[in-house]
Amino acid sequence: MSKKTLIVIGNGMVGHHFLEQFVASSAAPDYDILAFGEEKQLAYDRVHLSEYFAGSTHADLAMGTEDWYTEQGIELHLNEPVTALNRDQRTLITPKGEYHYDELVLATGSFPFVPPIEGREHPHCFVYRTLDDLDAIRASAKEGKSGVVVGGGLLGLEAANALRSLGLQAHVVEFAPRLMPVQLDADGGALLRHKIEELGVQVHTEKATTAIVAGENARLRMNFSDDSHLETDLIVFSAGIRPQDALARASGLNVGERGGIVVNDQCTTSDPHIHAIGECALWDQRIFGLVAPGYTMARTLASVLNSHSDAAFTGADMSTKLKLLGVDVGSIGDAHGQTPGARNIRFNDEQTGHYRRMVVSEDGQTLLGAILVGDNSYYDTLLQYALNGIALPDNPEALILPESQGGAPALGPDALPETSSICSCHNVTKGDICCAIDAGSSDLAGVKAETKASTGCGGCTALLKSVVDNELEKRGVAVSKDLCEHFPYSRQELFHLVKVNGIRSFRTLISQHGKGHGCDICKPVVGSILATCWNEHILATDHVPLQDTNDTFMANMQKNGTYSIVPRIPGGEITPDKLIVLGEVAKEYDLYTKITGGQRVDLFGATLSELPEIWEKLIAAGFETGHAYGKSLRTVKSCVGSTWCRYGVQDSVGMAILLENRYKGLRAPHKVKMAVSGCTRECAEAQSKDFGVIATENGWNLYVCGNGGMRPRHADLFATDLSDEALIRTIDRVVMFYVRTADRLQRTSVWMENLEGGLEYLKQVVLEDSLGICAELEEHMNGIVDTYQCEWKTAVEDPDKRKRFREFVNLPEQRDPVQQWTTERGQRRPVLESV
């Protein structure tokens, strides 16, 4: 019996997923399988497309390999577009020939919508869809200063972040009155805009572009319908997608009034031998623009072609959890409350920048939808309530309140029914995960390999890990403490790999010892490890993509989008001349000035572009960066000690200055604070610090692993009557042991509590050298001291690094014209607007 021929047109994510599902089925041996793709590259992950700008290659993003296609017996035709279909003869035509099919799958996806604007054909106007598009954008950006994205939806904001990563001043132009109008309400959209503008991306809403013409100060000028305009060097259109249905339309298949190939529940078109899946398919008058519904269609069609009579596509959940320009955004179900009788519960914290909205049924029993901006830690719990119809508690508002205000704990894995959906991309339930574990999967990686969970968009990673860990523990299996899914190591193990192998970049580390592209967990951790091991500048090319906003701009971002200037004042000692300089700078730039609890002077309200100018003046006066933005040493507080105080027995100021100058360049798992008191009266509050030093008649007592903050802990006495040299040597050892062995974002107090043996074990390691590593720890610390550089001095002296602080390209004034200020107690502060 001769084989039938199955052809798949479209080699994107959905087309590739269909092939994976079909070749694993019992029907596959009955078919010769051909796959056609327009692009020259094999199917790749468009969800993580922007990582191409961060150094990822096509090989990193590829969904498979050509060898896989060969092994599966699939005849692959890349760079060969299909130009016509002949339904009567069941053939398709390409520039290279004619091919017969028995069953045809259209997985042609979508194409970017470019509004019919005069001038849109300009060579510096682009779309954001393929790797070739990104290559063109990167080439254009090399000689540009600013870029505009037309469209403030999901992909538009991702494109804006990409322009920003290329060193451009990024703008977003949106026709609607808010960003992400499909997913967010007015309050959520306003907060998202506020947060994005804090990052230096300018947002222009309610703007309709009428024409694109030559600019006077840039390549292009966008004219808007309200007679305003914006000049830019390149434009990226991201104004939505349209289903790629040209082949179907030309061949007479039924298409929707606004596009899309009409399919039934079996993903079959009006021709029983032609099927459509993904963004080209119109089901129940709906186009699904996410990868998860496309994957569900692919699995459905694979079952249909295997004659499974009950196979049917019945719609898909369109909930999304994203991090856009570093800002958490989540949208679940009926986020806009369109269900009759729906009621809303809102939490809006302007101070922290967190907005949460729950849409509940009229009887308050069912969660219909939700919106989250600023904190997605509530997303997984809310999604499970919505997807599984779990009855809401008597006080449903507790689900979105902080714990300090009566918030309920997250929904634990045991509360989820077996039918609860964990991964919507691959339709994996909690029951599927349990079955995979019972079948032999003994860790997260095994469950992912078996079920494909979290291998799509990745939004379910945290929930999946929680469920897997819980189920393994219930079965008596030891749970992995891996840093994240990309590295099968703890932070301590990664530190050793970097140090021992001399690894100096994230790309090298993940290629040799990890997998995938990294995430918001592992990237900052590796950045900190690289800084500790090699002490390279934080704005080195390989390090920039790993940093958060504060480290990226070497300043703490404040709630109104401006930044604080915090020069180092070792031990709190400062000369009158330096005080005068701080006052002069504060007056010149109209900065709010405050003395901190760490004996420093903070200057608030600087714009991004002012930062290098201000630091240039401060460095000329002898100041250095205070590292207030980093996970590093912040301050060493001191009293006046024996120099002035009648009770002082040692020079606490001198010791504080010595300690601060020694450890000021150290990067650590978390911030570190120290203090030195000149006598036991403890005016410097040393016992509430990570490292506290108190003078005695015979030297210094050292206290370790205390801290203030949300969970205060009194430091423990570690050693007594130490000489200056012994004190330094002991702190060197404890500090470096902490840096090498602590977990991510772990304060010294929690670190010591988690050490097996606690304080006594730490004493054995540091004071008795039980591990034989003290000489190595001291040598490492000496290396950091010897290679110290003031990060701001390096930045202001390097023209390429200074480019990162450009804020406004087309405006002569430096201050944000939208920012509003008021005066309070004789100083300027931001107007506390409602967001």
Side-chain angles (χ1 to χ4, degrees), residues 12-14 38-39 41 44-50 52-53 61 107-114 126-137 155 158-159 236-238 240-244 278-280 287-291:
M13 296 179 72
V14 172
E38 281 191 342
E39 294 185 67
Q41 299 101 340
Y44 53 88
D45 184 356
R46 294 189 200 275
V47 174
H48 296 97
L49 186 63
S50 293
Y52 189 62
F53 283 137
L61 299 173
T108 49
S110 61
F111 63 90
F113 171 65
V114 178
F126 308 95
V127 294
Y128 197 86
R129 187 66 175 171
T130 68
L131 293 178
D132 288 341
D133 294 333
L134 269 60
D135 283 335
I137 292 169
L155 190 59
E158 189 176 323
V236 176
F237 288 103
S238 183
I241 58 171
R242 298 292 184 269
Q244 189 70 271
E279 293 175 343
C280 67
I287 296 287
F288 295 89
L290 298 176
V291 69

Side-chain angles (χ1 to χ4, degrees), residues 589-633:
Y589 291 91
D590 197 11
L591 304 176
Y592 172 87
T593 308
K594 186 182 184 303
I595 306 294
T596 74
Q599 298 178 330
R600 302 198 288 195
V601 178
D602 281 11
L603 309 174
F604 292 85
T607 64
L608 187 65
S609 58
E610 289 173 340
L611 291 176
E613 300 173 12
I614 293 172
W615 274 108
E616 211 162 26
K617 297 176 188 295
L618 295 176
I619 289 166
F623 287 102
E624 293 179 332
T625 176
H627 283 98
Y629 46 83
K631 299 293 184 285
S632 53
L633 176 72

Side-chain angles (χ1 to χ4, degrees), residues 547-760:
Q547 310 300 342
D548 62 16
T549 300
N550 288 349
D551 270 330
T552 297
F553 298 118
M554 299 190 300
N556 279 343
M557 177 183 285
Q558 305 304 314
K559 62 183 296 183
N560 68 330
T562 60
Y563 296 83
S564 62
I565 307 290
V566 188
R568 188 172 298 285
I569 302 177
E573 182 180 87
I574 187 168
T575 65
D577 285 340
K578 284 189 174 181
L579 276 175
I580 289 170
V581 169
L582 290 178
E584 288 174 341
V585 168
K587 287 186 67 174
E588 180 179 353
Y589 291 91
D590 197 11
L591 304 176
Y592 172 87
T593 308
K594 186 182 184 303
I595 306 294
T596 74
Q599 298 178 330
R600 302 198 288 195
V601 178
D602 281 11
L603 309 174
F604 292 85
T607 64
L608 187 65
S609 58
E610 289 173 340
L611 291 176
E613 300 173 12
I614 293 172
W615 274 108
E616 211 162 26
K617 297 176 188 295
L618 295 176
I619 289 166
F623 287 102
E624 293 179 332
T625 176
H627 283 98
Y629 46 83
K631 299 293 184 285
S632 53
L633 176 72
R634 295 295 176 87
T635 62
V636 182
K637 187 176 181 179
S638 75
C639 63
V640 295
S642 60
T643 305
W644 292 94
C645 179
R646 57 191 170 131
Y647 301 109
V649 295
Q650 299 286 353
D651 179 11
S652 57
V653 177
M655 178 54 70
I657 292 172
L658 178 62
L659 293 178
E660 187 154 351
N661 283 329
R662 182 166 184 80
Y663 302 114
K664 61 188 177 184
L666 178 74
R667 291 277 169 168
H670 211 295
K671 62 185 176 184
V672 174
K673 296 182 179 181
M674 300 184 181
V676 183
S677 288
C679 72
T680 55
R681 292 173 181 266
E682 253 283 70
C683 292
E685 302 168 331
Q687 294 175 76
S688 66
K689 301 295 188 287
D690 296 278
F691 295 87
V693 179
I694 302 177
T696 70
E697 295 287 351
N698 300 315
W700 307 97
N701 285 353
L702 174 62
Y703 292 78
V704 299
C705 301
N707 62 255
M710 293 180 66
R711 188 187 167 200
R713 184 187 188 278
H714 199 280
D716 290 308
L717 180 62
F718 192 73
T720 60
D721 294 334
L722 297 171
S723 66
D724 290 4
E725 295 76 13
L727 175 66
I728 298 296
R729 184 170 60 250
T730 305
I731 296 177
D732 279 359
R733 295 174 178 182
V734 179
V735 164
M736 289 312 305
F737 191 53
Y738 162 63
V739 167
R740 289 184 173 205
T741 62
D743 202 354
R744 59 179 290 269
L745 299 179
Q746 192 174 55
R747 293 295 298 268
T748 57
S749 58
V750 180
W751 166 69
M752 191 180 73
E753 289 170 357
N754 289 346
L755 284 177
E756 188 171 349
L759 179 65
E760 292 308 312

Side-chain angles (χ1 to χ4, degrees), residues 72-92:
Q72 303 302 323
I74 301 172
E75 187 178 309
L76 183 61
H77 296 257
L78 295 177
N79 199 26
E80 188 173 351
V82 176
T83 56
L85 296 179
N86 186 323
R87 291 170 51 203
D88 292 333
Q89 298 181 14
R90 293 192 200 170
T91 59
L92 58 84

Side-chain angles (χ1 to χ4, degrees), residues 178-321:
R178 65 179 181 274
L179 296 173
M180 293 182 64
V182 174
Q183 291 84 11
L184 301 182
D185 59 11
D187 288 337
L191 177 56
L192 178 61
R193 174 177 183 159
H194 180 77
K195 285 180 169 289
I196 287 175
E197 289 186 329
E198 284 181 343
L199 299 174
V201 176
Q202 302 304 302
V203 178
H204 313 264
T205 53
E206 298 184 273
K207 294 290 185 182
T209 308
T210 56
I212 299 170
V213 299
E216 296 180 4
N217 300 306
R219 293 172 183 154
L220 304 169
R221 167 174 159 155
M222 301 174 69
N223 292 331
F224 301 129
S225 59
D226 60 3
D227 295 329
S228 63
H229 68 272
L230 177 63
E231 294 206 351
T232 182
D233 292 307
L234 65 92
I235 297 171
V236 176
F237 288 103
S238 183
I241 58 171
R242 298 292 184 269
Q244 189 70 271
D245 59 11
L247 272 178
R249 190 182 298 272
S251 67
L253 290 174
N254 289 349
V255 296
E257 184 178 343
R258 300 183 62 184
I261 307 166
V262 176
V263 297
N264 59 17
D265 291 354
Q266 285 67 48
C267 299
T268 300
T269 70
S270 53
D271 184 322
H273 297 286
I274 300 180
H275 319 273
I277 54 177
E279 293 175 343
C280 67
L282 180 71
W283 177 86
D284 194 25
Q285 299 300 312
R286 297 180 66 189
I287 296 287
F288 295 89
L290 298 176
V291 69
Y295 280 3
T296 302
M297 288 181 174
R299 290 190 295 271
T300 299
L301 180 57
S303 296
V304 168
L305 294 178
N306 275 267
S307 302
H308 295 170
S309 59
D310 59 344
F313 178 76
T314 57
D317 175 52
M318 294 294 284
S319 300
T320 54
K321 179 172 70 170

